[in-house]
């Protein structure tokens, strides 16, 4: 069983909305800091949003005001609500988590996360 499993991606038009979900196998993978990253073809993976165990959040400037990260600890599930999607949001989206309470909410950094899902593709056409 995958530690983290994303779903909810798809192909949409610019301006549409999508909600991504990430289910953790156990609370060991979902009780601490969690985040969403994305990688477009030919680009490096970049941070999109993060949330700590208390619900405090951080967003990349490019998605601030359009995307919302949230978590349901009872369901060990992380969400990413994406509104007003743009073609530049096209990417593979990955869920990530790390154990413990520490969470970097100043910067979304790949190396801060220990566990990763396989990704879900989001394609936005103009």
């Amino acid at each position: 069983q995958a530690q983290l499993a994303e779903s909810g991606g798809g192909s949409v038009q610019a301006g549409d909305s999508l909600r991504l979900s990430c289910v953790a196998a156990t609370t060991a993978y979902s009780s601490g800091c969690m985040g969403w990253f994305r990688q477009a073809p030919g680009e490096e993976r970049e941070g999109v949003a993060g949330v700590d165990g208390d619900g405090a959040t951080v967003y990349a400037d490019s998605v601030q005001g359009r995307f919302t990260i949230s978590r349901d600890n009872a369901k060990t599930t992380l969400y990413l609500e994406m509104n007003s999607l743009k073609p530049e949001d096209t990417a593979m989206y990955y869920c990530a988590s790390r154990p413990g309470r520490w969470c970097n909410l100043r910067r979304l950094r790949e190396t801060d996360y220990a566990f990763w899902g396989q990704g879900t593709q989001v394609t936005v056409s103009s």
Side-chain angles (χ1 to χ4, degrees):
Q1 183 178 6
Q3 298 165 340
L4 299 171
E6 304 95 334
S7 63
S11 296
V12 297
Q13 298 288 318
D16 285 350
S17 298
L18 278 175
R19 187 174 82 155
L20 306 184
S21 299
C22 171
V23 178
T26 71
T27 56
Y29 304 110
S30 65
S31 60
C33 190
M34 300 190 77
W36 288 98
F37 289 74
R38 68 185 181 186
Q39 187 169 21
E43 302 289 331
E44 294 186 354
R45 190 150 55 181
E46 63 174 358
V48 175
V51 59
D52 72 6
D54 295 322
T57 58
V58 59
Y59 295 93
D61 290 343
S62 59
V63 306
Q64 182 76 47
R66 299 188 298 122
F67 290 12
T68 303
I69 189 171
S70 62
R71 64 194 300 163
D72 183 335
N73 291 332
K75 297 180 179 179
T76 65
T77 301
L78 180 72
Y79 302 101
L80 185 68
E81 185 76 36
M82 306 186 294
N83 298 316
S84 302
L85 282 161
K86 304 175 181 180
E88 51 264 42
D89 294 319
T90 295
M92 184 71 78
Y93 282 71
Y94 298 91
C95 170
S97 72
R98 61 167 288 119
R101 288 191 57 82
W102 183 82
C103 193
N104 188 350
L105 291 182
R106 299 180 65 182
R107 180 182 170 189
L108 291 158
R109 192 168 56 183
E110 229 183 305
T111 53
D112 289 338
Y113 293 82
F115 308 113
W116 292 84
Q118 294 299 307
T120 185
Q121 178 68 38
V122 172
T123 303
V124 185
S125 56
S126 57

